[in-house]
Amino acid sequence: MVKLQTHQGHLQVAGCDVPELAAKYGTPFYLVNQNLIEDRCKEIHADFLAKYPGSRAAYASKAFLCLEMCRIIAQQGLGLDVVSGGELFTAVQAGFPMERVIFHGNNKTDQEIAMAVDHQVGRVVVDNMYELERLQAEAGRQDRKMDILFRITPGVDSHTHKFISTGQLDSKFGIPTDPEHLRDYMDKVMTMTNLRLLGFHFHVGSQLHANDSHLKAVEILAGIIQRVKEEHGFITEELNVGGGYGIYYTDEDEPEPLSYFTDGIMETLHKECASRGLNVPAVTIEPGRWVIGEAGMTIYTIGSIKEVPGIRTYAAVDGGMPDNPRPSLYDAKYDAVIANKMDAPRDAVATIAGKCCESGDILIWDLPVPQLAPGDTLAVRSTGAYNFAMASNYNRLPRPGVVMVKNGLDRLVVRPQSYQDMLSTEI
Ligand SMILES: *Cc1c(COP(=O)(O)O)cnc(C)c1O
C-alpha cells in the first residue's frame, strides 16, 4: 500500500501538489505517478527476472494503455500484452519492440491476425481451433513463422468476482484440459509448418490476494507438460502464468508483495517438474493491475452536496461511471481523500455520486470525509487500472485526460476529449 504524502494540508503525488494540478489542468483528470510505475518495474526485475534466469515479464496493456505508457514499459525493459488490433496499433505507433509483444484474445478477427503476422509479434496466444487454423493460413500467406502458446483453461476457481475470474472450466477463454481435446490441438499444430508451439499459457483471474489458484494451475499445467511430452514428444520451453496479482484499493485489501506469487509459482513448478522428470520451462508473468493500479488516481471537483435527512449525504463530482465504470460493473470498492483538506479530521460521511442519469452511478458509498464544500478536490485512489481503459462517453461526457507526474514535474500525456472530438467520427 502506498502511503499518502501531504504538505500543508495538500495531497502530494510524486512531489506535485494535487490541488494545484487541479487548478492548472481543470478536473476531472487521471493522475498517474510515473515514479510508482517505475518502482513496480524495478521490483519485477529484482524479485523475479534477476532471480529466475530465462524468465520474462509483460505488462498487460489492457489495464491502462496510451503511447506514453508504451514508451515507459519499453524503457523499463518489459514486454507488452495486447488483446486487440487497437492495442497493437498503439504499441506500433509508440515504436514498441514487436518481439516483446504477446497477442491474446478469444476471438481475434482476420484483420487482427493479419496485423499480428505482419508485425511479427513475439508470441500469439492461441485460444481455440478456429483461430489456430486461420493463424496458420495467414502466416502461410505472408510466408512467416509465428511463435505461439496455447491458452489452457486450467479449471481452477479463483476467489474473486466472477466477472474477473477466468480460470474456471466454464469459461469463454482457452482450451479445456481434458486429454482428447488437447490431443487434437497437439496433433494439429505439429503439422503446421508456419507455426512454432513454444508452450502454454494460463490466467486464473484478477485482483487476487492468495496464490493458491496460481499454484493449483501450475500443478495442472505440469501434468499437461508431462502428457504432451509422453504422447507427442513435445518439450515445453515456455509457461506463461498470466497476471492477477492483487493491489490495495481500500483497507479491506491486504496485498502481498509480487514475490509471494512468483516465488510460490517457481517453487511449485520446480517441485512438479522434478517429480515428473521434466525440464523446467522458462516462465513469463503478465501483471496489469499490479503495475499501474496504485499509480493512478482520479481527480474530481465536488459540486452539489445534498443531505437526505436521516439517511445520507450525497456529494456529487464532475465525472462518474463514464470515467470509472468499475463500481457499477462489479461493485468495486474505492477509497478517496479530499486533496485540499488532508489535515482536517474525517468527521463526516458522504456518498460520492457521479453526474450521470443512473441511480447506480455511485463511486463510493459512505466515505469518511472532512466537512465538505463545493469546490473541494476529491482524489479517488488506485484508479490506474481499468478506468481510463474502460472509460465511455455515456451522457456525452468527454473522456478525461491523463496527467503524468514524476520527480516533482507534471505533464499532460493524453489531452481531455473535447465535445468536438466526440463528434469527430460522425457523418
Ligand atoms: C487481464 C489479463 C492479464 C492481467 O491481469 P491483471 O489482473 O491486471 O494483472 C494478464 N494476462 C491475461 C491473458 C489477461 O487477460
Side-chain angles (χ1 to χ4, degrees):
M1 165 189 160
V2 181
K3 211 178 152 323
L4 295 179
Q5 307 291 321
T6 63
H7 180 67
Q8 295 183 336
H10 279 197
L11 176 64
Q12 312 285 306
V13 175
C16 296
D17 186 282
V18 174
E20 279 175 22
L21 294 176
K24 175 174 175 181
Y25 291 101
T27 59
F29 62 90
Y30 299 102
L31 178 63
V32 176
N33 181 348
Q34 187 176 347
N35 289 129
L36 198 68
I37 298 171
E38 294 180 359
D39 288 348
R40 292 284 160 108
C41 294
K42 287 192 183 86
E43 190 173 330
I44 292 173
H45 278 285
D47 293 354
F48 178 60
L49 299 175
K51 205 162 157 186
Y52 302 106
S55 60
R56 292 193 182 90
Y59 165 66
S61 75
K62 71 174 190 278
F64 171 80
L65 185 66
C66 60
L67 294 169
E68 188 66 2
M69 189 63 184
C70 286
R71 294 179 199 119
I72 292 168
I73 293 299
Q75 202 252 326
Q76 293 297 312
L78 302 189
L80 197 74
D81 270 19
V82 300
V83 299
S84 71
E87 289 181 354
L88 179 57
F89 181 76
T90 306
V92 169
Q93 292 295 306
F96 196 90
M98 287 294 123
E99 70 277 7
R100 283 197 246 151
V101 168
I102 306 175
F103 201 150
H104 289 281
N106 69 310
N107 188 25
K108 302 177 185 80
T109 64
D110 290 343
Q111 185 228 359
E112 287 170 333
I113 288 175
M115 236 174 128
V117 174
D118 185 32
H119 290 289
Q120 284 281 280
V121 299
R123 303 281 182 275
V124 178
V125 180
V126 172
D127 180 274
N128 55 70
M129 191 61 87
Y130 175 58
E131 177 187 340
L132 183 67
E133 288 167 354
R134 284 149 66 238
L135 181 61
Q136 160 60 30
E138 182 62 32
R141 207 161 14 245
Q142 296 194 33
D143 196 21
R144 296 273 173 77
K145 188 136 189 163
M146 300 299 292
D147 287 331
I148 69 167
L149 303 177
F150 281 152
R151 176 160 184 164
I152 302 293
T153 319
V156 300
D157 235 329
S158 52
H159 318 289
T160 192
H161 192 285
K162 72 176 190 306
F163 289 178
I164 52 175
S165 174
T166 51
Q168 73 281 16
L169 195 56
D170 181 5
S171 169
K172 73 167 185 169
F173 296 107
I175 302 166
T177 53
D178 62 282
E180 322 301 281
H181 236 100
L182 198 61
R183 201 170 289 140
D184 282 351
Y185 281 82
M186 294 304 297
D187 286 341
K188 193 96 184 198
V189 76
M190 302 295 213
T191 68
M192 293 179 153
T193 49
N194 295 85
L195 304 184
R196 190 160 69 106
L197 181 69
L198 294 178
F200 303 95
H201 170 276
F202 70 80
H203 173 67
V204 285
S206 200
Q207 181 57 8
L208 304 176
H209 290 315
N211 66 9
D212 54 321
S213 14
H214 282 93
L215 303 192
K216 190 88 197 62
V218 167
E219 286 173 20
I220 290 166
L221 265 291
I224 289 177
I225 292 171
Q226 181 176 13
R227 205 165 73 213
V228 295
K229 183 183 170 198
E230 287 166 2
E231 289 191 12
H232 306 272
F234 177 78
I235 304 297
T236 301
E237 291 171 38
E238 267 182 49
L239 178 63
N240 184 323
V241 298
Y245 319 112
I247 65 161
Y248 175 87
Y249 284 97
T250 71
D251 287 339
E252 286 172 22
D253 296 303
E254 288 171 20
E256 299 283 350
L258 183 70
S259 59
Y260 157 77
F261 290 94
T262 49
D263 288 345
I265 287 168
M266 295 309 290
E267 194 183 314
T268 303
L269 183 64
H270 277 265
K271 208 174 70 204
E272 288 292 322
C273 288
S275 72
R276 295 164 191 269
L278 302 169
N279 296 335
V280 179
V283 171
T284 302
I285 58 169
E286 303 174 322
R289 187 191 312 270
W290 187 84
V291 173
I292 185 70
E294 290 181 43
M297 283 186 177
T298 312
I299 311 301
Y300 305 94
T301 301
I302 299 223
S304 82
I305 298 170
K306 192 172 298 176
E307 192 186 333
V308 185
I311 301 185
R312 58 168 48 86
T313 298
Y314 287 95
V317 294
D318 48 357
M321 63 190 290
D323 63 75
N324 184 0
R326 296 186 70 256
S328 40
L329 193 58
Y330 5 82
D331 207 16
K333 302 282 186 287
Y334 284 92
D335 189 16
V337 294
I338 302 301
N340 56 312
K341 292 181 175 169
M342 295 300 287
D343 292 343
R346 289 174 116 182
D347 55 4
V349 172
T351 287
I352 307 299
K355 63 187 262 94
C356 284
C357 303
E358 296 277 336
S359 300
D361 180 23
I362 301 291
L363 291 174
I364 304 172
W365 289 95
D366 300 326
L367 175 73
V369 286
Q371 297 301 317
L372 294 179
D376 281 343
T377 303
L378 181 84
V380 178
R381 304 181 62 181
S382 295
T383 61
Y386 306 109
N387 274 235
F388 175 71
M390 286 185 168
S392 76
N393 287 129
Y394 181 53
N395 281 177
R396 291 248 154 164
L397 301 196
R399 205 168 58 191
V402 179
V403 174
M404 188 99 49
V405 285
K406 177 179 174 175
N407 299 338
L409 298 175
D410 58 274
R411 64 192 198 281
L412 194 63
V413 300
V414 179
R415 68 169 170 79
Q417 272 183 332
S418 65
Y419 292 145
Q420 196 59 46
D421 286 333
M422 288 191 289
L423 296 184
S424 66
T425 56
E426 298 195 14
I427 295 160

